[in-house]
Amino acid sequence: MEFNNIDFSTYFKNYPDDKGYFGKYGGSYIPPELQAAMDEISEAYQTICKSSKFISELRRIRKEFQGRPTPISYLERLSGKLGNVQLYVKREDLNHTGAHKLNHCMGEVLLAKYMGKKKVIAETGAGQHGVALATAAAYFGLECDIYMGAVDVKKQAPNVARMKILGARVVEVTDGLQTLKEAVDAAFDAYCKEYKDAIYCIGSVVGPHPFPMMVRDFQSVVGIEAREQFLSMTGELPDAIVACVGGGSNAMGFFSGFLNDPVEIYGVEPLGRGTALGDHAASITYGSEGVMHGFNSIMLKDKNGDPAPVYSIASGLDYPSSGPEHAFLHDIGRVKYDVVNDDDTIDAFFELSRMEGIIPAIESSHAVAYGIKLAQKMGKGSVLINLSGRGDKDMDYIIEKYGIR
Amino acid sequence: MSNIQNAFKNGKAFIPFITCGDPDLDTTQEIVREAVKNGADLIELGIPFSDPTAEGPVIQGANIRALAGGVTTDKIFDMVANLRKDVTIPLVFMTYANVVFSYGADRFLSKCRQIGIDGIILPDLPFEERDEFLPTCRKYGVDLISLIAPTSANRIGMISREAEGFIYIVSSLGVTGTRSEFSSDLSSLVEIVRQNTSLPCAIGFGISTPEHATHMASIADGAIVGSAVIKIIEKYGKDAAKPVGEYVKSMKEAVMKANATVCAED
C-alpha cells in the first residue's frame, strides 16, 4: 500500500535507514564513548537476530514461557451498548508478567545470551520495565542490574520486591532529584564501564539507534498475531485500531502489523489534567522537534527548549517524548495521534472491568477510552484496541484516589 | 588558524570547565575572570541542559542549580558579551545538541560569533551527525570541536583529520567525574591523533589533582578539568571565585611541569 509517497509494502526494509533514521527523526545522539557499544549491539542485532536459530528459539519461548499467542477478545456487552460497532481487544494483559513489556525483554536478553554477555543493565521508573527485564534475566540465567531513583524505590515498593525476588540487583540512585533521569545516567555510566560483559536493555522504542528499531521488531509479534487472529475471527480487517502511546513500544509493535493495510490507525496520548504544559504528557500532539536521551523526535519543551515536566495518571505514559518512528508516522499522516484525559481514562477503566470482566492497566485504559469514543463517532464498523497490560498494579492507587464507584 | 590555538601557545594548556549560572551568572563572571588571572588558557562554558547524557552527578548537580536559578541561553549570551569586554583568551561553549537545535542553529551560532565565542563542543553529537551543524558553524567561523574516546579506535584517524580548533580526548569510559584510574592506552591514542592532525589535543574527563594534570599534559597538549572545579563552586557558592582561582593556579603550574616529547608545534 502506498501512502504519501511511502510504499508500505517495503516499509520495514527502508525504515529506519542504516543510520537509524525514520525520515528526519531517530539517529544516535550520544557521547563517543558510548557509540562503540551501540555499534556492537547494532551489528549483533543485524546478524544474530536474523538467524533462523535465534528466531526459532524466540518463537519457542514465546509459546512455552510467555503463553503466546495472546487472544483477541470480542467485547460483546460493551459493543452491544454502543450500537452497531464491534469492539475487540488484543489481550497483552495475558502475556506473562501481565503486559507487553516482556516481548522485547525476552528478545533483548536472548540477544545478550547469544552475544556471550553475562549481565543486563537497565533503568526503571515505575518498575514495570525492571520487572520484565528481571524476569527475562532469571529465565536465561544472566545477572541483572536495575538502576532506580531512590524516590522511585520508595514509591514502587511492590515492584522493587518483585525484582529482588527474581534475583535482580536493584541499585538505588541518590544523585540529584533521585528519579528516572538520574537512574538513566547511572545506568549509562555503569554500561560504559561494563559494556564488554554487559548489554543495556532499553524499555521502549526510544533511545539511540538501534533501540527504536530493535524494540519495535521484538514487539511486532503483537501486530502480526493480531492481524492474523482478526482475519480468522471475522474474515476481514478491522476498520480502525487503537493503542496508547507513551514511549510507544506497545503501539509500535501493534501498528507495525497493519501499516500496509487499509486500516485507520490511532495513537492515544495522555492529556492528564488538561492542556497546560506540565499537566499532560501528549508529546506528539503538543510537542516540537528536539533531541534528548540519544535520539531526535517530537518532544514537549519548556520555554528554554529543555524537556518539559510532564504529568499523567499512568506512570508508563509519563514521558516528555515518544519514539522517533511515531514522530515520523505522525508527520506523514499514516497514524493519527489524539488525546484522552485522566477522567475519561478512569471511566473506561471501570467500564471495561464491569462490562467485560477485564481490569485494564491505567495506561491501556487510555486506549480503551479512545476506542469507545471512536466507536460512537463511527457508528458502524469494527475497532481493535491493544490492551497492553493488566491493571492489578493500579488498583490501590485508583481506589485511594477515586474510590469504588 | 582559529583563536583556539592561541590557548596552546604558552606551553601546556590548562582548561577549566564552568557551568554558567551556578550558582548565578554574576558569580560565573567573577570565576571566569579569576581563572583567567590565574593562568587558564581556554575556558569551557557549560550551557546547562536538564537531560545531559554524559555528565556525572557533580556536573548534573551544577546543571540543576543553574536551571533552578533561572538561567537561560539568552542570559548566558549577555554574560559572555560582558566578559568579552576584557577577557581575550579563547572561550568555547559546551552543551548538548538539543540546546542548539531548540534555539535554532543559525541563530545560536550567529550569536556565538557576535559575542566572541570561538568554538562549541556538543558531546552528544556523533561525528556522523556533524553535517547537521557544520555548515552553520563554518558560516559563522565557530569551531565545532570533536571528542575522541578510547573506544572509537577505528574512527580516531577519521575524526582527527576532519577536526577543528582542538581535539578533546576523553580519558576513560563513563560519564564525567573525578577518578583515580585512567585508560592505559591514552599515549597510543594520542599518537594516532598526532599522525592525522597538527591540531593541539587536550585530555579531559576525570582529572582532578595536579599529579593527574602533569601526567595528562605530558601525554597531550593540555588538561581539561570540569567536575573538580564544579565541586569547589558547589562548596563555596557565591564566594567561589577566589578558591577556583587558587585551584587554577596550582593546576596551571602542574601542566607546565609536564615535558612531553611531542608538542603541538611539531
Side-chain angles (χ1 to χ4, degrees):
Chain A
M1 188 182 85
E2 205 163 295
F3 189 92
N4 258 344
N5 296 324
I6 288 160
D7 181 1
F8 277 95
S9 62
T10 57
Y11 175 79
F12 296 104
K13 275 196 188 120
N14 300 322
Y15 295 92
D17 66 16
D18 54 5
K19 283 164 80 185
Y21 281 91
F22 302 89
K24 62 179 172 175
Y25 302 112
S28 178
Y29 293 80
I30 50 172
E33 64 272 21
L34 269 177
Q35 191 56 52
M38 290 302 148
D39 291 347
E40 188 195 8
I41 297 178
S42 269
E43 212 181 293
Y45 178 70
Q46 293 298 352
T47 52
I48 296 168
C49 295
K50 308 281 148 104
S51 71
S52 59
K53 188 160 175 265
F54 183 94
I55 292 168
S56 59
E57 186 166 359
L58 192 59
R59 272 197 190 138
R60 183 186 60 76
I61 290 165
R62 282 170 174 167
K63 182 164 175 252
E64 296 171 6
F65 178 66
Q66 293 179 236
R68 303 205 68 92
T70 59
I72 283 180
S73 302
Y74 172 50
L75 305 182
E76 191 167 353
R77 290 187 63 213
L78 203 51
S79 299
K81 194 179 148 189
L82 294 170
N84 201 20
V85 186
Q86 272 67 54
L87 279 181
Y88 297 82
V89 285
K90 171 67 173 164
R91 302 290 304 277
E92 286 307 289
D93 61 316
L94 296 177
N95 194 30
H96 180 43
T97 72
H100 71 286
K101 290 281 180 202
L102 195 64
N103 295 335
H104 66 255
C105 285
M106 293 307 284
E108 285 175 327
V109 183
L110 181 61
L111 175 62
K113 193 184 126 185
Y114 272 67
M115 287 168 80
K117 305 288 185 188
K118 296 182 180 66
K119 185 193 273 188
V120 289
I121 295 174
E123 79 290 337
T124 194
Q128 297 304 113
H129 175 54
V131 169
L133 193 65
T135 302
Y139 180 89
F140 291 111
L142 267 65
E143 288 172 54
C144 179
D145 284 357
I146 301 291
Y147 290 79
M148 200 169 177
V151 169
D152 290 333
V153 169
K154 280 199 194 70
K155 261 177 38 190
Q156 309 291 343
N159 274 341
V160 173
R162 278 184 195 106
M163 288 185 266
K164 288 182 175 168
I165 287 170
L166 288 161
R169 193 166 71 101
V170 178
V171 183
E172 208 167 320
V173 180
T174 54
D175 305 318
L177 303 173
Q178 312 191 0
T179 58
L180 183 61
K181 193 190 294 181
E182 290 77 20
V184 172
D185 284 306
F188 263 121
D189 191 20
Y191 180 47
C192 274
K193 288 174 185 144
E194 301 181 63
Y195 88 97
K196 289 202 165 67
D197 294 320
I199 175 172
Y200 185 77
C201 294
I202 226 153
S204 189
V205 285
V206 298
H209 180 64
F211 286 113
M213 170 184 70
M214 196 163 95
V215 173
R216 171 197 74 188
D217 291 353
F218 286 140
Q219 285 294 348
S220 67
V221 63
V222 179
I224 294 166
E225 282 178 11
R227 189 177 184 280
E228 274 174 22
Q229 290 166 324
F230 198 91
L231 275 172
S232 73
M233 274 172 90
T234 69
E236 50 196 32
L237 288 165
D239 293 305
I241 64 168
V242 180
C244 63
V245 179
S249 61
N250 92 78
M252 217 42 257
F254 184 54
F255 294 168
S256 68
F258 297 91
L259 287 173
N260 192 35
D261 292 318
V263 171
E264 296 276 334
I265 305 179
Y266 295 90
V268 184
E269 298 195 295
L271 187 60
R273 296 180 290 244
T275 54
L277 194 65
D279 280 346
H280 63 83
S283 45
I284 303 269
T285 307
Y286 296 109
S288 56
E289 194 180 347
V291 179
M292 71 161 193
H293 299 170
F295 65 105
N296 177 350
S297 186
I298 297 177
M299 69 187 209
L300 289 166
K301 295 184 211 173
D302 62 17
K303 58 181 188 306
N304 216 7
D306 284 353
V310 288
Y311 161 82
S312 165
I313 189 177
S315 55
L317 303 179
D318 195 352
Y319 187 65
S321 184
S322 289
E325 193 166 8
H326 284 292
F328 173 69
L329 292 170
H330 165 265
D331 280 12
I332 62 166
R334 178 65 189 94
V335 177
K336 295 186 181 72
Y337 293 83
D338 207 340
V339 294
V340 164
N341 67 20
D342 282 356
D343 289 345
D344 291 349
T345 299
I346 294 298
D347 288 347
F349 173 87
F350 281 108
E351 188 88 341
L352 192 71
S353 299
R354 299 202 171 157
M355 298 284 290
E356 300 290 345
I358 302 169
I359 302 176
I362 197 73
E363 289 79 10
S364 322
S365 300
H366 285 76
V368 175
Y370 194 81
I372 293 171
K373 271 197 213 175
L374 183 68
Q376 284 166 334
K377 208 167 76 186
M378 284 162 57
K380 62 179 170 62
S382 59
V383 178
L384 174 61
I385 301 162
N386 194 28
L387 198 74
S388 55
R390 68 176 180 221
D392 306 41
K393 66 185 178 55
D394 302 309
M395 292 188 297
D396 290 348
Y397 176 78
I398 286 176
I399 288 171
E400 192 187 316
K401 203 167 168 209
Y402 295 87
I404 296 283
R405 295 190 173 181
Chain B
M1 193 184 81
S2 77
N3 184 35
I4 284 176
Q5 281 153 54
N6 290 326
F8 300 87
K9 279 273 148 77
N10 315 310
K12 303 292 182 173
F14 177 66
I15 302 173
F17 167 87
I18 299 161
T19 300
C20 296
D22 172 30
D24 56 58
L25 287 170
D26 287 341
T27 308
T28 303
Q29 287 200 59
E30 276 179 51
I31 293 170
V32 169
R33 291 198 166 93
E34 204 62 31
V36 173
K37 209 166 84 187
N38 284 284
D41 296 289
L42 182 157
I43 293 176
E44 275 183 28
L45 295 167
I47 302 179
F49 177 50
S50 60
D51 290 64
T53 37
E55 307 295 13
V58 175
I59 293 178
Q60 280 238 33
N63 280 335
I64 291 169
R65 287 193 296 276
L67 290 168
V71 74
T72 64
T73 307
D74 278 322
K75 286 181 189 167
I76 291 169
F77 285 145
D78 291 345
M79 180 200 73
V80 173
N82 202 5
L83 278 174
R84 271 302 184 213
K85 288 173 187 164
D86 51 284
V87 173
T88 56
I89 64 161
L91 297 174
V92 306
F93 276 145
M94 171 130 171
T95 190
Y96 283 79
N98 187 65
V99 172
V100 181
F101 197 86
S102 292
Y103 197 88
D106 194 86
R107 215 172 122 229
F108 186 95
L109 287 153
S110 94
K111 264 289 198 185
C112 284
R113 184 195 179 103
Q114 199 186 321
I115 60 174
I117 284 289
D118 301 292
I120 58 168
I121 305 171
L122 301 172
D124 64 336
L125 185 75
F127 185 75
E128 287 75 8
E129 317 294 344
R130 267 174 33 122
D131 294 350
E132 230 174 299
F133 292 102
L134 197 58
T136 322
C137 289
R138 292 257 164 86
K139 179 173 160 195
Y140 293 108
V142 177
D143 286 338
L144 182 55
I145 293 154
S146 298
L147 287 98
I148 288 181
T151 54
S152 48
N154 48 357
R155 309 186 338 167
I156 295 168
M158 176 179 74
I159 297 173
S160 305
R161 283 191 295 278
E162 303 274 321
E164 300 179 332
F166 76 95
I167 309 248
Y168 189 134
I169 293 176
V170 177
S171 68
S172 55
L173 299 181
V175 295
T176 56
T178 53
R179 51 174 65 87
S180 50
E181 284 171 43
F182 293 95
S183 178
S184 54
D185 52 1
L186 272 178
S187 308
S188 50
L189 195 156
V190 172
E191 201 46 49
I192 305 172
V193 172
R194 302 276 195 214
Q195 286 161 10
N196 286 282
T197 178
S198 59
L199 288 177
C201 53
I203 303 179
F205 275 48
I207 301 172
S208 58
T209 66
E211 291 73 36
H212 289 156
T214 307
H215 175 58
M216 291 304 160
S218 71
I219 300 172
D221 304 308
I224 305 166
V225 172
S227 296
V229 174
I230 302 298
K231 273 188 186 163
I232 298 172
I233 297 171
E234 187 180 356
K235 185 171 170 196
Y236 292 96
K238 288 179 194 296
D239 304 317
K242 274 257 145 29
V244 170
E246 284 158 22
Y247 177 75
V248 169
K249 191 161 182 240
S250 68
M251 294 298 273
K252 176 63 185 174
E253 281 165 6
V255 297
M256 292 300 279
K257 272 191 211 157
N259 274 319
T261 47
V262 191
C263 292
E265 287 77 20
D266 283 1

